[in-house]
């Protein structure tokens, strides 16, 4: 009975779990108000990322491309950034922030984006847009480094680094959520409200679940403002919920402005939510109110209904964003389930020293593998050719065929989820998220029992 | 020229020549936008890249192939599972995609060794698949990896395998169209003529520029088989790699999407003397004419005619049911390339709608020529539209429905315009006689959706009919229709199944006697 943490034993990728860095930076960009990211590279780097966002959220978001063509690839394409910034500013009067997000092509040809920004700041912005507040931020996200996860991490840090301005203490904490859904942000804000904690939430994406108004004027935008970002330097603490998505910004604020940072835990499950509230309490001195004691108890009541009768012993494979995967695995263990395979889709060397994974290595009493730099073949090959038996898969839609073709029930969780309706609306964090997750898993198993006629009669009495 | 200047684009004057509004008595000589020029950076264009044009649009519909992209994972991930080009081998090409996963060290030291390891690994993981396509990406084009040399090396070391290489990095051209061109030419240069196909009919075609979206290819192939025609290959939807190596033996190239695949047809004509026949699977009349043309070419008109009669008898009453209920509805026809002209005329004639605008993301001027000439007066034609222009056009034109891509569809939704997916379809296939009825049905369902009507109501201001618990589509669509149409016993709603394609795979076809063993009816 061992838990091994190892790297995928092939060099290539068969069905990738993650996309590349610029997508992460673009996700950060759409969370900021009056901001349109300009991706410096080929048009596909934007067109497909906008598409996947629209597939997941069923909304359209604004992102621009510098539209690198052949001449630019040969002779350099800094001019296209200059033109792109001008066109964006001229046509979008509300835009104040333009992150310039690099890609593999423009990093390889070595376009000096930081230099272009200096040039624009001294030239175009002074000459043509003198009366306007404009911020150009260089974000270096070559696709051949890291993944969408590190792209997100880098971009959050770069936004914070650009704007954070110490003035007066604002009496708030910074809460960096990581790559989450509108439902998560709503649930987190609810916990903050119950705790009576005022927080700058990075990023305010609850608005991504936007309405279809009779006058037809609602387009989805993130709600984090420039002032929110500026005042991150005036908080009395930062909580970054995820170690790999947003922690860089928290650490930077700590180093630069001595703002204490707490990294993690990802508040998935009862125990991690308890820890999150404990951290809030420590940081703010505010007590955990009876309302949350009750909310927690409602969740535990629901979990008790499903855990040892149905979820216990169930073998589960989990893939996706690292903090999400680890948080889900921890929660599954509390639910008496057996995570047997965790797949982390990039080669971040820090995974193998992640204390949460090391704790699993130390303590799990069943065979378990954690594969880094993993792809979907690591899952499928084990099922088809190596005898891995699974009761459940947790992960995003790109892995749907592994579940479908091998008749394994699956609960959709993470980004992107496009093959189930409305999943972005529900949280996986907090007590509410714990309940939702456990019940989704139970219901997926129930449906599967009925389809396969596998003790389906057991539900006659429950 | 009646150029249309968008308010939102006044600050980029070069955009002015990319949109026209067709006025009274105007034709192409006075009314044609510029097309296929470099994109204006920062305009929030909807264009993709030349890599996706090659790999995603044309390469990947090939069904029995390991499709590897040589680059970082993003290109592969982003273009994976975003299309509905199915196949009759359990959708292998939809399910599996491969990336060489180029990292920083490979950018510095080269990624050729990595590529070779990848190829070997992939063949090992899928031992039954011996065919592979490799697509260059921006990163590996810039570092100058010699993909062709590696492919050659592996083919020599692993007998029985065959590899196709497509060098079409994302930056190669103004849009995905550059990639269409590159892969067409690469295929004929590398693969056509490398395998001799088995000829089983006197009438042999390549079906070109057809991508089997939701089963289009299978529907069309059904007609061809019923005519006794051998479809030697399809370029590329539901197409087989080895079949496509034998394209040079066809008697005729039947071309569907002239935007993405005319290049290979023209080369096949040039190099092998195979004539090109442009056809159209959308719309009863265009489709009937197409089948007749093919019949005429081979001298089997009566076979075509029999199919046309049978299909029209079966489906016309259903198409007309919808036509009566779609009359005068305003449509924005905003697809990617060729559908603007494939659909413009046919939907107006056969479904009674009015096309108020056409646009194309990656079409060339030739596509606009066809599109504009098939639209009526007042139609707004836009080349390489961008986000703000699209919104301004919707505000100005107030269409009842829009046919466009998934993401722009979400934008249209927000301004209360229902959308149909023009690339992947809603509930297709849309080709074929039945498919065309399915398209009409989908348009009808979108326009007359009770939920759509509810979304237009402002409960704080508008009168609410509290006695109404529901509304059927008929209650909406039939209001104001003449009695004889509402109660017609001739016309009927669509009666086909949810899945109209899978059954075709089990079908058997009549044997047509060949002219004489060993000879061919059509001279080469």
């Amino acid at each position: 009975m061992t838990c091994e943490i190892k790297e995928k034993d092939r060099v290539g990728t068969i069905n990738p779990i993650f996309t590349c860095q610029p997508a992460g930076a673009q996700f950060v960009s759409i969370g900021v108000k009056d901001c349109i990211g300009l991706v410096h590279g080929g048009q596909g780097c934007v067109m497909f990322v906008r598409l996947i966002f629209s597939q997941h959220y069923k909304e359209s978001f604004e992102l621009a491309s510098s539209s690198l063509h052949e001449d630019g690839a040969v002779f350099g394409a800094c001019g296209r950034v200059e033109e792109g910034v001008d066109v964006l500013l001229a046509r979008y009067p509300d835009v104040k922030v333009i992150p310039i997000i690099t890609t593999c092509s423009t990093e390889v040809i070595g376009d000096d984006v930081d230099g272009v920004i200096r040039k624009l700041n001294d030239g175009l912005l002074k000459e043509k847009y003198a009366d306007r507040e404009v911020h150009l931020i260089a974000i270096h996200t070559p696709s051949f480094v890291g993944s969408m996860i590190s792209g997100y991490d880098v971009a959050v840090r770069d936004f914070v680094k650009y704007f954070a301005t110490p003035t007066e203490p604002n009496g708030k904490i910074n809460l960096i959520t990581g790559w989450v859904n509108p439902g998560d942000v709503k649930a987190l804000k609810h916990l903050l409200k119950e705790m009576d904690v005022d927080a700058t939430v990075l990023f305010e994406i609850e608005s991504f679940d936007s309405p279809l108004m009779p006058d037809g004027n609602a387009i989805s935008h993130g709600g984090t403002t420039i002032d929110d970002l500026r005042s991150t330097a005036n908080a009395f603490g930062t909580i970054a919920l995820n170690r790999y998505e947003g922690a860089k910004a928290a650490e930077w604020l700590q180093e630069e402005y001595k703002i204490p940072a707490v990294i993690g835990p990802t508040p998935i499950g009862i125990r991690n939510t308890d820890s999150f509230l404990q951290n809030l309490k420590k940081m703010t001195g505010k007590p955990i109110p009876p309302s949350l004691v009750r909310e927690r108890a409602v969740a535990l009541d629901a979990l008790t209904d499903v855990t040892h009768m149905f979820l216990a012993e169930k073998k589960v494979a989990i893939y996706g964003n690292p903090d999400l995967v680890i948080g889900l695995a921890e929660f599954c263990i509390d639910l008496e389930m057996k995570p047997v395979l965790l797949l982390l889709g990039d080669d971040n060397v820090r995974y193998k020293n992640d204390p949460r994974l090391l704790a699993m290595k130390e303590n799990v009493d069943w065979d378990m593998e954690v594969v880094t730099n993993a792809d979907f073949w690591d899952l499928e090959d084990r099922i088809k050719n190596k005898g891995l038996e699974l009761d459940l898969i947790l992960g995003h839609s790109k892995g749907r065929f592994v579940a479908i073709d091998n008749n394994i029930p699956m609960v959709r969780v993470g980004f992107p989820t496009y093959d189930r309706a409305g999943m972005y609306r529900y949280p996986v964090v907090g007590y509410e998220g714990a309940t939702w997750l456990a019940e989704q898993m139970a219901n997926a198993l129930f449906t599967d029992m009925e389809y396969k006629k596998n003790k389906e009669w057991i539900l006659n009495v429950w | 020229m009646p150029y249309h200047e968008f308010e939102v684009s006044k600050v980029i004057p070069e955009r002015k020549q990319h949109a026209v509004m067709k006025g009274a008595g105007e034709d192409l000589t006075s009314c044609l936008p510029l097309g296929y020029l470099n994109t204006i950076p920062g305009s929030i264009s909807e264009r993709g890249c030349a890599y996706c044009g090659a790999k995603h649009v044309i390469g990947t519909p090939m069904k029995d192939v390991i499709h590897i992209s040589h680059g970082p994972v993003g290109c592969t991930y982003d273009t994976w599972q975003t299309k509905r080009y199915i196949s009759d081998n359990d959708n292998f090409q939809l399910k599996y995609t491969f990336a060489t996963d180029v990292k920083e060290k490979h950018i510095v030291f080269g990624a050729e060794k990595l590529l070779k390891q990848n190829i070997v690994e992939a063949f090992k993981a899928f031992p039954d698949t011996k065919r592979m396509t490799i697509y260059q990406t921006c990163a590996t084009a810039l570092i100058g990896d010699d993909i062709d040399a590696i492919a050659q090396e592996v083919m020599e070391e692993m007998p029985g395998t065959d590899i196709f290489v497509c060098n079409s990095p994302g930056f190669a051209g103004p849009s995905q169209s550059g990639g269409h061109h590159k892969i067409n030419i690469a295929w004929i240069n590398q693969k056509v003529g490398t395998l001799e196909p088995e000829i089983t009919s006197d009438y042999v075609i390549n079906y070109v520029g057809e991508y089997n979206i939701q089963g289009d290819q299978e529907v069309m192939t059904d007609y061809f088989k019923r005519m006794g025609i051998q479809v030697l290959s399809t370029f590329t939807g539901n197409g087989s790699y080895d079949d496509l190596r034998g394209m040079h033996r066809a008697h005729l190239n039947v071309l569907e999407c002239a935007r993405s695949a005319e290049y290979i047809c023209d080369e096949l004509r040039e190099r092998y003397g195979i004539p090109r026949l442009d056809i159209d699977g959308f719309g009863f009349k265009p489709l009937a004419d197409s089948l007749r043309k093919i019949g005429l070419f081979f001298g089997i008109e009566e076979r075509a005619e029999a199919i046309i009669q049978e299909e029209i008898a079966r489906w016309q009453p259903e198409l007309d049911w919808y036509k009566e209920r779609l009359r005068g509805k305003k449509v924005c026809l905003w697809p990617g390339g060729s559908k603007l002209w494939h659909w413009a005329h046919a939907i107006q004639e056969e479904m009674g709608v009015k096309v108020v605008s056409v646009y194309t993301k990656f079409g060339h001027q030739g596509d606009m020529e066809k599109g504009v000439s098939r639209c009526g007066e007042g139609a707004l034609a836009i080349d390489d539209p961008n986000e703000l222009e699209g919104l301004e056009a919707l505000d100005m034109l107030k269409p009842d429905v829009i046919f466009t891509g998934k993401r722009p569809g979400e934008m249209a939704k927000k301004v209360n315009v229902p959308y149909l997916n023009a690339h992947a379809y809603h509930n297709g296939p849309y080709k074929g006689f039945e498919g065309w009825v399915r398209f009409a049905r989908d348009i009808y369902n979108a326009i007359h959706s009770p939920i759509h009507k509810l979304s237009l109501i402002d409960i704080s201001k508008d009168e609410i009919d509290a006695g109404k618990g529901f509304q059927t589509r008929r209650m909406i669509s039939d209001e104001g229709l003449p009695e004889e149409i509402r109660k017609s016993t001739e016309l009927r709603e669509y009666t086909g199944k949810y899945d109209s394609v899978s059954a075709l795979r089990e079908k058997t076809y009549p044997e047509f006697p060949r002219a004489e063993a060993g000879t061919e009816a059509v001279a080469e």
Side-chain angles (χ1 to χ4, degrees):
Chain A
M1 301 297 164
T2 55
C3 170
E4 272 188 278
I5 305 172
K6 56 188 171 193
E7 197 168 352
K8 174 183 65 181
D9 57 8
R10 290 165 289 116
V11 297
T13 301
I14 304 175
N15 295 352
I17 292 173
F18 293 157
T19 185
C20 56
Q21 284 212 114
Q26 290 177 69
F27 185 68
V28 173
S29 165
I30 60 173
V32 179
K33 194 169 180 291
D34 302 328
C35 169
I36 297 182
L38 178 69
V39 181
H40 189 30
Q43 292 167 153
C45 309
V46 177
M47 192 269 263
F48 282 102
V49 172
R50 291 180 82 197
L51 176 61
I52 200 115
F53 291 161
S54 80
Q55 286 208 68
H56 178 87
Y57 295 105
K58 313 296 182 211
E59 305 284 349
S60 173
F61 295 95
E62 286 161 337
L63 286 158
S65 173
S66 68
S67 297
L68 181 76
H69 299 323
E70 207 142 26
D71 53 343
V74 176
F75 301 113
C78 288
R80 297 192 72 82
V81 175
E82 294 177 40
E83 194 183 344
V85 167
D86 189 16
V87 169
L88 269 178
L89 290 175
R91 299 178 80 223
Y92 290 84
D94 294 332
V95 164
K96 296 191 182 79
V97 188
I98 304 179
I100 295 158
I101 299 163
T102 66
T103 60
C104 46
S105 56
T106 51
E107 288 285 347
V108 170
I109 64 176
D111 270 2
D112 179 8
V113 166
D114 303 80
V116 175
I117 289 177
R118 277 195 299 278
K119 187 179 166 195
L120 285 166
N121 283 336
D122 294 340
L124 181 80
L125 297 190
K126 279 194 182 140
E127 289 152 19
K128 197 169 166 185
Y129 301 99
D131 300 332
R132 196 158 151 190
E133 180 185 3
V134 178
H135 305 277
L136 307 176
I137 309 169
I139 298 183
H140 292 276
T141 44
S143 321
F144 44 77
V145 175
S147 68
M148 66 191 209
I149 305 300
S150 55
Y152 181 92
D153 206 20
V154 163
V156 178
R157 182 201 59 197
D158 290 354
F159 268 87
V160 167
K161 203 167 164 178
Y162 179 91
F163 284 110
T165 316
T167 48
E168 294 294 306
N170 64 8
K172 292 182 176 185
I173 66 154
N174 301 317
L175 180 72
I176 304 178
T177 66
W179 193 315
V180 293
N181 277 321
D184 295 309
V185 173
K186 195 171 173 182
L188 290 166
K189 279 157 75 175
H190 160 73
L191 293 176
L192 292 168
K193 190 164 173 250
E194 293 299 316
M195 289 286 292
D196 193 27
V197 171
D198 202 1
T200 303
V201 177
L202 299 182
F203 287 87
E204 281 281 5
I205 62 156
E206 199 185 332
S207 54
F208 282 6
D209 188 6
S210 69
L212 180 47
M213 295 295 280
D215 57 357
N217 61 359
I219 295 281
S220 275
H221 283 288
T224 294
T225 63
I226 291 174
D227 283 343
D228 291 338
L229 287 159
R230 281 199 181 112
S231 74
T232 53
N234 302 311
F236 55 85
T238 304
I239 296 181
L241 298 178
N242 288 344
R243 190 172 281 262
Y244 306 103
E245 297 157 17
K248 270 193 173 70
E251 283 157 2
W252 184 85
L253 283 167
Q254 178 162 271
E255 206 157 293
E256 192 73 16
Y257 297 122
K258 309 282 175 284
I259 295 169
V262 174
I263 312 293
T266 313
I268 294 173
I270 301 294
R271 195 182 301 275
N272 284 327
T273 304
D274 293 349
S275 302
F276 170 57
L277 296 179
Q278 196 64 32
N279 287 338
L280 278 178
K281 182 178 157 184
K282 270 192 215 154
M283 192 173 270
T284 63
K286 301 250 169 100
I288 296 172
S291 63
L292 288 177
V293 174
R294 185 183 155 78
E295 189 174 321
R296 181 178 186 270
V298 170
L300 284 165
D301 184 80
L303 301 189
T304 307
D305 292 339
V306 293
T307 174
H308 39 264
M309 186 163 181
F310 298 112
L311 299 177
E313 323 281 307
K314 294 290 185 262
K315 294 201 215 46
V316 57
I318 313 172
Y319 61 82
N321 291 24
D323 291 290
L324 174 72
V325 169
I326 295 168
L328 288 171
E330 291 178 321
F331 182 40
C332 284
I333 295 173
D334 271 347
L335 290 168
E336 304 178 51
M337 300 168 76
K338 291 182 174 171
V340 290
L341 181 63
L342 307 185
L343 301 171
L344 309 177
D346 64 28
D347 61 350
N348 191 331
V349 292
R350 291 165 58 211
Y351 295 150
K352 64 174 188 293
N353 295 319
D354 188 302
R356 299 166 293 181
L357 293 175
L358 293 177
M360 287 179 211
K361 200 171 165 173
E362 189 87 347
N363 294 296
V364 301
D365 52 0
W366 57 88
D367 283 330
M368 176 174 177
E369 288 179 289
V370 181
V371 185
T372 67
N373 203 27
D375 57 16
F376 283 112
W377 189 244
D378 279 310
L379 176 59
E380 192 172 338
D381 186 41
R382 279 173 173 76
I383 298 167
K384 280 193 173 142
N385 306 319
K386 294 178 179 154
L388 177 68
E389 286 178 4
L390 290 174
D391 299 297
L392 187 66
I393 294 174
L394 301 180
H396 59 71
S397 298
K398 290 273 186 184
R400 64 194 299 259
F401 282 114
V402 182
I404 296 169
D405 285 351
N406 296 289
N407 288 312
I408 299 166
M410 172 172 167
V411 171
R412 271 71 174 170
V413 53
F415 177 92
T417 298
Y418 44 78
D419 66 336
R420 287 293 181 275
M423 303 299 263
Y424 53 82
R425 193 165 295 119
Y426 301 94
V428 298
V429 297
Y431 300 124
E432 204 187 326
T435 309
W436 186 78
L437 274 171
E439 290 177 344
Q440 286 285 307
M441 292 194 284
N443 286 338
L445 292 170
F446 297 161
T447 308
D448 188 63
M449 286 156 62
E450 289 162 3
Y451 272 122
K452 292 178 183 158
K453 300 222 179 297
N454 179 16
K455 292 185 73 174
E456 76 289 356
W457 40 259
I458 209 167
L459 291 161
N460 285 356
V461 186
W462 177 36
Chain B
M1 282 269 180
Y3 288 127
H4 177 78
E5 187 170 36
F6 285 98
E7 282 298 318
V8 291
S9 291
K10 283 200 161 137
V11 289
I12 31 177
E14 59 265 51
R15 278 297 303 163
K16 193 176 166 184
Q17 292 177 312
H18 289 264
V20 297
M21 178 101 68
K22 192 172 170 181
E26 275 172 346
D27 60 18
L28 291 174
T29 56
S30 59
C31 185
L32 188 65
L34 293 180
Y36 201 53
L37 298 176
N38 283 355
T39 319
I40 298 169
S43 62
I44 315 203
S45 155
E46 296 178 6
R47 284 173 162 178
C49 62
Y51 157 80
C52 87
K55 181 259 186 184
H56 184 50
V57 178
I58 298 192
T60 315
M62 249 189 274
K63 67 185 173 187
D64 46 8
V65 183
I66 290 168
H67 295 283
I68 292 193
S69 299
H70 186 33
V73 290
C75 315
T76 303
Y77 176 100
D78 290 353
T79 54
W80 177 41
Q81 290 189 7
T82 63
K83 285 231 176 210
R84 291 178 177 149
Y85 33 52
I86 56 171
S87 64
D88 57 12
N89 64 339
D90 199 27
N91 301 317
F92 180 81
Q93 76 292 347
L94 287 184
K95 291 180 181 176
Y96 296 101
T97 193
F98 302 73
T100 56
D101 195 13
V102 166
K103 313 247 189 200
E104 191 160 26
K105 62 184 176 196
H106 307 116
I107 296 290
V108 178
F109 300 111
E112 290 178 356
K113 189 170 154 234
L114 173 78
L115 173 63
K116 190 168 174 185
Q117 283 174 293
N118 257 276
I119 299 172
V120 174
E121 277 180 7
F123 278 134
K124 203 174 139 201
F126 294 87
D128 297 333
T129 305
K130 305 277 189 199
R131 302 290 175 259
M132 178 179 286
T133 59
I134 305 176
Y135 306 91
Q136 195 184 41
T137 62
C138 290
T140 50
L142 290 167
I143 64 172
D145 275 2
D146 189 347
I147 300 176
D148 300 83
I150 300 295
Q152 204 54 48
E153 208 174 290
V154 175
M155 282 192 279
E156 280 159 24
E157 289 169 16
M158 298 179 79
T161 61
D162 201 84
I163 303 175
F164 165 70
V165 176
C166 179
N167 292 314
S168 178
F171 54 74
S175 70
Q176 45 269 65
S177 186
H180 304 156
H181 187 193
K182 286 200 158 56
I183 194 171
N184 269 250
I185 301 304
W187 186 265
I188 191 161
N189 282 346
Q190 288 174 48
K191 294 300 165 199
V192 173
T194 61
L195 198 74
E196 286 305 321
E198 190 195 345
I199 302 299
T200 58
S201 165
D202 293 337
Y203 318 111
V204 184
I205 65 167
N206 294 313
Y207 188 26
V208 183
E210 164 54 56
Y211 304 104
N212 202 31
I213 307 297
Q214 292 208 25
D216 276 352
Q217 184 261 6
E218 295 173 73
V219 168
M220 295 295 288
T221 304
D222 172 60
Y223 301 139
F224 301 146
K225 286 182 186 164
R226 282 154 72 183
M227 290 169 70
I229 292 170
Q230 179 186 3
V231 180
L232 194 60
S233 72
T234 302
F235 188 89
T236 53
N238 199 28
S240 166
Y241 184 102
D242 278 355
D243 290 348
L244 285 158
R245 294 164 75 190
M247 289 181 96
H248 59 295
R249 290 299 177 204
H251 305 139
L252 180 68
N253 286 314
V254 171
L255 175 61
E256 189 87 48
C257 176
R259 173 67 284 122
S260 61
E262 68 173 350
Y263 317 102
I264 196 163
C265 282
D266 293 346
E267 288 301 315
L268 285 163
R269 179 170 57 195
E270 183 73 24
R271 299 184 198 187
Y272 299 100
I274 308 170
R276 154 184 166 176
L277 180 68
D278 289 30
I279 68 147
D280 200 333
F282 296 115
F284 281 23
K285 183 161 189 307
L287 172 55
D289 287 347
S290 299
L291 295 177
R292 279 191 193 105
K293 281 196 284 184
I294 297 167
L296 194 64
F297 179 85
F298 288 120
I300 48 173
E301 299 96 309
E302 73 295 343
R303 294 186 194 172
E305 212 54 56
I307 293 169
I308 294 164
Q309 297 309 328
E310 184 188 332
E311 293 286 329
I312 287 184
R314 169 72 181 84
W315 298 109
Q316 189 76 53
E318 302 190 3
L319 181 65
D320 289 345
W321 190 94
Y322 292 102
K323 182 180 183 178
E324 294 299 342
R325 288 160 177 86
L326 293 175
R327 273 188 202 285
K329 295 294 176 195
K330 291 190 286 181
V331 171
C332 278
L333 178 44
W334 289 0
S338 70
K339 285 194 194 90
L340 78 107
W341 48 266
H342 274 295
W343 285 356
H345 188 63
I347 55 175
Q348 298 196 118
E349 283 293 306
E350 301 189 358
M351 298 184 195
V353 299
K354 182 175 165 50
V355 176
V356 293
S357 177
V358 290
Y359 87 23
T360 174
K361 300 179 199 188
F362 56 80
H364 298 205
Q365 262 196 314
D367 299 289
M368 268 298 185
E369 284 177 15
K370 290 188 250 186
V372 171
S373 63
R374 290 174 193 190
C375 286
E377 275 175 30
L380 173 65
I382 319 168
D383 165 69
D384 180 23
N386 57 60
E387 184 95 351
L388 289 177
E389 291 174 1
L391 284 167
E392 187 177 318
L394 291 177
D395 187 46
M396 177 177 76
L397 300 166
K398 307 228 175 334
D400 295 294
V401 68
I402 175 175
F403 308 152
T404 190
K406 158 75 190 162
R407 209 265 323 140
E410 295 295 339
M411 181 193 85
K413 176 178 86 179
K414 290 295 192 211
V415 291
N416 281 310
V417 181
Y419 112 98
L420 286 193
N421 194 321
H423 310 304
Y425 310 153
H426 268 41
N427 284 297
Y430 289 166
K431 277 183 185 162
F433 294 94
E434 180 176 2
W436 198 239
V437 178
R438 292 170 78 93
F439 187 21
R441 183 265 324 261
D442 284 357
I443 301 172
Y444 173 83
N445 288 355
I447 292 180
H448 298 298
S449 156
I451 291 297
H452 172 59
K453 304 298 173 208
L454 287 175
S455 73
L456 302 171
I457 294 172
D458 183 342
I459 51 166
S460 70
K461 286 190 273 193
D462 299 338
E463 188 100 1
I464 306 295
D465 182 356
K468 201 189 259 181
F470 67 89
Q471 205 177 16
T472 68
R473 287 170 308 194
R474 287 286 291 277
M475 287 160 74
I476 301 168
S477 69
D478 287 12
E479 203 181 304
L481 272 191
E483 175 91 2
E484 70 270 21
I485 291 170
R486 274 193 290 128
K487 303 231 163 117
S488 165
T489 51
E490 305 291 304
L491 307 180
R492 60 174 186 265
E493 283 181 79
Y494 179 61
T495 54
K497 291 180 178 165
Y498 178 65
D499 177 0
S500 60
V501 173
S502 297
L504 296 173
R505 295 176 187 164
E506 312 302 323
K507 214 168 146 177
T508 52
Y509 293 89
E511 296 254 344
F512 292 93
R514 296 188 61 178
E516 210 177 301
T519 66
E520 289 182 4
V522 177
E524 288 194 33

